[in-house]
DNA sequence: ACTTTACAGGACACCGTGTCTCGTTTTATC
DNA sequence: GATAAAACGAGACACGGTGTCCTGTAAAGT
């Protein structure tokens, strides 16, 4: 994003301001809910000028996408080999604020193609690739298309996350794993 | 919604205005995309006063939810017994404006719990019940929870609809049907 | 006739957005 | 140390959609 090479002239970007903004955005999400968060509110909460926000991000969604990738990178270091454990770890991420934020990001991506592309590239794509690998490593059902399996597994997760008719929890991880194990 | 019994005094609700509003909303969705539709715009396009809109609907999402239920009721009369055909019919609905509208409604439901409840009750719930029935009629996999199967089937549909990494088409209907047939 | 309600049209304050300007602070370069 | 460059906090501004209110008119029942 920012240019790291070449001579940097002028005052460098404040890392303090960046962190304060990301933390303020998550804090406001927790307090007011994703849809009620505004860029103006984030700036005030972070004690920063609004121009500083607009200089580095275009929308609140971009702010929260960056906050989420930072947060996911912290919590999801080792990818386990076991499918059920992998799903449990992934589903555990959707507890608390993070679940609300990713749902909000997916919602906002419906009206912002640039955000949709980044969401796919930085959050959803990597998770899909990881699940695909775990499935292939674990002796996949012979004739089944791995991409379809990924769609159905993460599809049920997103479906529950967005429609909220059932929880995304360890029980879901267990049931999905059992079902996939019974495909001839 | 409106009271049908009891004495109705005063000027009755204009059915012309209602239809004009629903048609204008869908037309604007097609022209400008769901997120760019506004209540003000709908009123102007329909040639109606804004107060008339606010009298019968709270948000643009409620307008479009009603437009969708009308539209779905028209197009989805006979529920076929064959799973693949059922899925093909359902997926065909997501072509064109309707797909964009339901994605927009799901997105908006993330910030409007009342809308989320109506969306579940009037659009998603009935479709879930229908799929569940088709699965049960077609000799379901013995030990598998039908609800989980519904989650995974419609989950993949919604996942593709919202994330747009693959189309929701007849090929998906075929592949899902084939996969479900191979659960022991 | 009279009441009641819906109608079209427009006025209004409110709030978030995105851009702009101001004066300042922090860095690299000369 | 002086200078240029860029980021910083703070705030002003026009714009547009929202939701409410008001006006005068139209269509129904009593």
């Amino acid at each position: 994003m920012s240019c790291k090479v070449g001579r940097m002239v002028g005052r460098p970007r404040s890392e303090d301001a960046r962190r304060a903004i990301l933390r303020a955005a998550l804090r406001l999400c927790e307090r007011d809910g994703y849809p009620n968060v505004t860029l103006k509110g984030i700036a005030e909460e972070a004690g920063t000028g609004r121009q500083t926000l607009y200089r580095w991000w275009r929308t609140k969604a971009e702010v929260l996408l960056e906050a989420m990738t930072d947060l996911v990178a912290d919590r999801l270091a080792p990818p386990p080999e076991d499918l059920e454990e992998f799903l449990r770890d992934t589903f555990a991420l959707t507890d608390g604020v993070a679940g609300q934020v990713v749902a909000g990001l997916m919602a906002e991506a419906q009206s912002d193609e640039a955000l949709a592309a980044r969401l796919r590239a930085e959050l959803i794509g990597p998770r899909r690739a990881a699940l695909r690998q775990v499935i292939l490593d674990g002796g996949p059902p012979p004739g089944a298309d791995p991409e379809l399996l990924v769609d159905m597994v993460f599809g049920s997760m997103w479906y529950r996350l967005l429609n909220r008719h059932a929880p995304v929890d360890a029980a879901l991880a267990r049931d999905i794993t059992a079902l996939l194990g019974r495909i001839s």
Side-chain angles (χ1 to χ4, degrees), chain A residues 31-55:
Chain A
R31 201 187 66 189
D32 304 333
Y34 179 94
N36 299 113
V37 174
T38 67
L39 284 171
K40 182 185 282 191
I42 295 175
E44 285 170 6
E45 176 79 9
T48 179
R50 294 212 280 145
Q51 192 65 14
T52 303
L53 264 167
Y54 282 103
R55 191 178 347 257

Side-chain angles (χ1 to χ4, degrees), chain A residues 59-87:
Chain A
T59 62
K60 72 166 172 175
E62 288 195 352
V63 177
L64 284 161
L65 174 58
E66 185 164 334
M68 279 304 300
T69 51
D70 280 20
L71 196 149
V72 169
D74 286 353
R75 282 208 233 161
L76 234 54
E81 292 185 15
D82 179 51
L83 175 61
E84 184 173 348
E85 193 179 342
F86 174 86
L87 291 180

Side-chain angles (χ1 to χ4, degrees), chain A residues 8 22 57-58 88 96 115 120 136 142 167-169 178 183:
Chain A
M8 303 247 273
L22 296 186
W57 298 279
R58 292 190 311 110
R88 262 204 313 269
L115 171 65
R120 281 192 293 265
L136 290 180
V168 177
D169 55 9
I183 298 176

Side-chain angles (χ1 to χ4, degrees), chain A residues 2 44 72 99 101 104 106 110 123 125:
Chain A
S2 56
E44 285 170 6
V72 169
V101 173
M106 182 62 97
Q110 300 308 308
L123 267 180

Side-chain angles (χ1 to χ4, degrees), chain A residues 54-166:
Chain A
Y54 282 103
R55 191 178 347 257
W56 303 108
W57 298 279
R58 292 190 311 110
T59 62
K60 72 166 172 175
E62 288 195 352
V63 177
L64 284 161
L65 174 58
E66 185 164 334
M68 279 304 300
T69 51
D70 280 20
L71 196 149
V72 169
D74 286 353
R75 282 208 233 161
L76 234 54
E81 292 185 15
D82 179 51
L83 175 61
E84 184 173 348
E85 193 179 342
F86 174 86
L87 291 180
R88 262 204 313 269
D89 288 357
T90 304
F91 293 173
L93 269 182
T94 65
D95 272 341
V97 214
Q100 193 186 16
V101 173
V102 292
L105 288 175
M106 182 62 97
E108 207 131 4
Q110 300 308 308
S111 51
D112 182 345
E113 183 49 43
L115 171 65
R118 290 194 56 191
L119 192 59
R120 281 192 293 265
E122 297 172 26
L123 267 180
I124 295 178
R127 283 278 90 191
R128 282 183 67 91
L131 172 59
R132 191 165 176 279
Q133 196 57 48
V134 172
I135 288 178
L136 290 180
D137 287 351
D145 179 9
E147 289 303 310
L148 180 61
L149 293 176
V150 171
D151 279 352
M152 296 185 77
V153 171
F154 277 164
S156 60
M157 176 188 75
W158 278 103
Y159 189 26
R160 289 187 177 199
L161 215 49
L162 294 166
N163 197 47
R164 296 191 293 279
H165 58 278

